[in-house]
Amino acid sequence: MSWLKRLLGARQEDLPPAEAFATPRVSLPARDREIVSIPELDFVGHRIDSPNGRYTLLWHDRRWFEGKPSDGRYVLIDGGAVVVDEVMERPQDGKVADDGTFILNDWGASAELAGTFHAFRADGSTIVSRLYSANLLNNGLSLDGRQAVCQTCNAPGSPDSSILTIFNLAAGTELTRWTAESGWANGYEFPEGGQRIRMLRHERPPLDYSLAGEFLDRRLWLKDEVQRGTLYALRKALAEGEAATGVSAEALRQGARRLIAEDERFRAEGWRLLGEIEESAGRNAAALEAYDRALGFNPRIGVAKRAAALRKAAQ
């Protein structure tokens, strides 16, 4: 009904029945455009289409007029006909499924860490609305509109910090919520009939979790992060051992050397880590050399006693 209010400049209770007005129709630009201008709706903003091409979701953030904020707006179009046209404080990251189910993250007007995830039916009615005491990072929607996901940003002290929530939109309920060990994703899929969630990452292998949060691709993730020289992954793999992770001592060495070569912030940490890798493999001479290099970058790196013990044992 908001399109009627916008058209007539009247209060909703003063309007004639909606049936008295023809549903507005618009001409949409080519589908390859993410930012669109639609004069018929006085709209400029983001656009996304359902995979089957039937539905189009439009939204724009809060705007300012003469120094005053104006709420954002979202519009759902079905085959050229406007079926939903409503306001939201700060709509972001829209998705729409083949059945017209759509989702939006509302960043809200508050300066506090907070955000609200919304899921709607094709008629605009609410399926789920979930407020978080953390900023929302992104979201995802299954092709059939039966499942959705959102992930929050870091929010120290909040129970909603860095969590991933999966929603059963068919039932209108929150299904599960957990913290992903692999961190944040850039996008999401629901393969195998929605029995798992796939986290998509730019220029990285996708990673599958069970809906309950079991990390199904943990070995793949650790091997990839070790190869890239990621410090915390190197430490995890070293602590857990090859039998648990599938990461060999040689892979750990190569990862540590890449960290040393490519990130000068962690040179001392990298040499210390390489020393620990060599010591755990029984290569004491190589371990001592690495510890000495670490101490050269940072005398307080915490391996002086270990280096002294190895040096004494070698005499």
Side-chain angles (χ1 to χ4, degrees):
M1 287 291 291
S2 65
W3 60 270
L4 290 175
K5 291 184 285 182
R6 190 172 290 105
L7 177 65
L8 299 179
R11 296 179 303 171
Q12 182 168 334
E13 57 267 28
D14 296 333
L15 293 172
E19 292 77 8
F21 298 87
T23 300
R25 298 189 67 85
V26 297
S27 298
L28 292 167
R31 291 187 65 185
D32 59 352
R33 296 175 60 182
E34 295 182 2
I35 302 295
V36 295
S37 174
I38 302 177
E40 302 101 307
L41 298 177
D42 188 25
F43 180 92
V44 177
H46 296 272
R47 172 247 186 97
I48 195 169
D49 298 285
S50 61
N52 63 6
R54 173 176 172 177
Y55 291 93
T56 297
L57 178 63
L58 311 173
W59 72 95
H60 68 66
D61 199 348
R62 178 178 59 192
R63 294 180 177 175
W64 293 80
F65 296 96
E66 298 180 350
K68 296 181 179 180
S70 173
D71 282 340
R73 179 182 173 193
Y74 62 94
V75 180
L76 183 67
I77 298 171
D78 179 0
V82 176
V83 292
V84 177
D85 187 348
E86 295 291 347
V87 296
M88 182 181 290
E89 283 185 323
R90 298 198 62 195
Q92 309 286 332
D93 207 19
K95 307 285 189 307
V96 59
D98 283 340
D99 66 348
T101 299
F102 64 99
I103 61 175
L104 288 159
N105 287 346
D106 185 0
W107 284 2
S110 171
E112 299 178 358
L113 299 181
T116 305
F117 170 83
H118 296 283
F120 302 96
R121 299 178 184 89
D123 63 1
S125 60
T126 297
I127 303 173
V128 168
S129 182
R130 171 73 159 83
L131 174 64
Y132 292 88
S133 57
N135 290 337
L136 290 171
L137 176 69
N138 54 22
N139 60 37
L141 180 65
S142 64
L143 300 181
D144 60 8
R146 296 178 64 84
Q147 292 171 298
V149 59
C150 70
Q151 203 167 12
T152 61
C153 301
N154 186 39
S158 168
D160 292 333
S161 177
S162 302
I163 63 166
L164 180 148
T165 308
I166 300 175
F167 298 92
N168 180 346
L169 299 186
T173 60
E174 179 180 310
L175 184 61
T176 56
R177 59 190 308 229
W178 32 270
T179 299
E181 185 180 4
S182 56
W184 294 291
N186 302 111
Y188 311 88
E189 293 177 349
F190 290 90
E192 298 185 11
Q195 297 305 304
R196 58 176 62 192
I197 183 168
R198 179 162 294 158
M199 301 182 71
L200 308 177
R201 308 178 304 155
H202 292 325
E203 300 180 352
R204 300 283 184 94
L207 302 171
D208 284 8
Y209 287 80
S210 73
L211 297 186
E214 180 187 358
F215 196 173
L216 304 175
D217 284 332
R218 189 171 190 268
R219 283 193 168 205
L220 171 64
W221 168 69
L222 275 175
K223 287 181 179 180
D224 180 60
E225 294 296 334
V226 165
Q227 182 181 13
R228 293 173 181 273
T230 305
L231 179 60
Y232 72 89
L234 284 160
R235 290 208 169 278
K236 278 179 180 284
L238 176 61
E240 295 177 20
E242 183 175 359
T245 66
V247 179
S248 67
E250 182 56 32
L252 288 171
R253 288 188 191 96
Q254 292 178 8
R257 290 192 178 277
R258 181 168 183 175
L259 171 65
I260 292 165
E262 296 184 0
D263 197 334
E264 62 183 17
R265 297 172 303 166
F266 299 114
R267 291 270 167 80
E269 285 283 354
W271 281 112
R272 172 180 173 162
L273 182 61
L274 184 57
E276 292 169 353
I277 294 167
E278 300 293 16
E279 189 174 5
S280 68
R283 294 161 50 108
N284 291 350
L288 177 57
E289 179 183 355
Y291 288 149
D292 284 341
R293 296 290 296 271
L295 291 164
F297 282 101
N298 180 1
R300 303 179 67 180
I301 194 62
V303 294
K305 290 183 179 180
R306 294 168 76 172
L310 288 176
R311 189 171 287 108
K312 183 176 180 180
Q315 293 175 350

